[in-house]
Amino acid sequence: MRVLVVTAVAAEAAAVVADAGPPGAAAVPLPGGYALTRTPDYDVLVGGVGPAAAAAATATALAVADTPYGLVVSAGIGGGFPPHAPVGSLVVSDAVVAADLGADTADGFLPVDKLGFGRTVHPSPAGLSALVAAALGAAHAPVLTVSTVTGSAARAAELARRHPRAAAEAMEGFGVAEAAAAHGVPVVEIRAVSNAVGPRDRAAWRIGEALAALRKAFQQLAPVLQEQP
Ligand SMILES: O=C(O)c1cccc(C(=O)CC[C@H]2O[C@@H](n3cnc4c(=O)[nH]cnc43)[C@H](O)[C@@H]2O)c1
């Protein structure tokens, strides 16, 4: 099964390809100037930060693929919701959720599907995502997509109240999932937790630790995906 991995930035892509087996990694040019790196296990695309950039990049790669992908993985660092996902841990999605796509009303937030426009949840393939989570020792839970990094305890509490099982938040998953759904390809999101979702504290971010966890995750993931049809 061919797998497309979409990251936001080059450092996350480097973690994914770091342990590629022979013949190593090769650059594949794509329209729009996107950087796609091909290894024996994954095609890795740097899509940019945020859902719109991620959707545009994913749609481009899927549209020009010479052979179809069996799975798209949205991968990178992310914020963890205590106590589900401590810093340094991994989260594998059982669903990818657009957490701030909708309308703010006098009665609170209404997601866009409740407004009658589109969807806000993309379930991940249940068996495969559970298998991946078990193989990685990761939490298996919803991953939220936001367009603004949560920066206060009040916002974190509101998101947790609306999505009590959610273990992580990031900024690209739902964009990747929307593009993949348009091409009929399932999506799993894998996040290595760099920080706790809550009050903004740059000093508390552990990006290096999270990138190391991401690298190990994709080392462990390769044989699991090789066994998939
Ligand atoms: O607040 C800051 O100054 C700050 C420091 C380091 C990184 C950022 C980002 O905005 C990173 C966004 C980037 O990383 C993913 N990410 C990581 N943690 C989170 C989070 O808690 N909530 C949402 N996204 C997060 C995200 O997917 C982006 O690609 C800010």
Side-chain angles (χ1 to χ4, degrees):
M1 171 174 69
R2 287 190 73 210
V3 177
L4 175 67
V5 180
V6 185
T7 70
V9 297
E12 293 163 326
V16 171
V17 306
D19 300 294
V28 177
L30 287 186
Y34 293 108
L36 182 79
T37 302
R38 178 156 291 157
T39 78
D41 299 303
Y42 313 111
D43 281 358
V44 187
L45 174 67
V46 180
V49 172
T58 304
T60 299
L62 294 176
V64 302
D66 47 7
T67 53
Y69 289 103
L71 178 70
V72 177
V73 178
S74 173
I77 65 174
F81 282 93
H84 303 299
V87 171
S89 68
L90 293 166
V91 179
V92 172
S93 65
D94 64 8
V96 178
V97 180
D100 56 10
L101 181 61
D104 189 19
T105 78
D107 301 319
F109 175 77
L110 277 180
V112 71
D113 51 1
K114 294 288 191 303
L115 298 171
F117 308 113
R119 63 194 297 185
T120 58
V121 180
H122 284 281
S124 296
L128 178 59
S129 62
L131 182 68
V132 168
L136 301 185
H140 189 216
V143 178
L144 307 186
T145 299
V146 296
S147 291
T148 303
V149 174
T150 293
S152 70
R155 178 64 178 162
E158 172 61 11
L159 288 172
R161 182 189 64 76
R162 287 199 259 124
H163 306 279
R165 290 188 58 250
E169 81 166 30
M171 298 177 75
E172 292 81 30
F174 193 79
V176 171
E178 283 281 82
H183 289 265
V185 184
V187 174
V188 172
E189 186 163 4
I190 300 176
R191 292 288 167 178
V193 179
S194 52
N195 58 283
V197 174
R200 183 171 185 250
D201 177 2
R202 295 182 66 166
W205 286 56
R206 294 290 178 269
I207 294 177
E209 184 179 333
L211 290 173
L214 192 68
R215 172 173 177 171
K216 183 178 176 185
F218 277 85
Q219 236 184 345
Q220 293 172 318
L221 182 60
V224 174
L225 295 181
Q226 283 162 7
E227 291 170 6
Q228 297 305 309

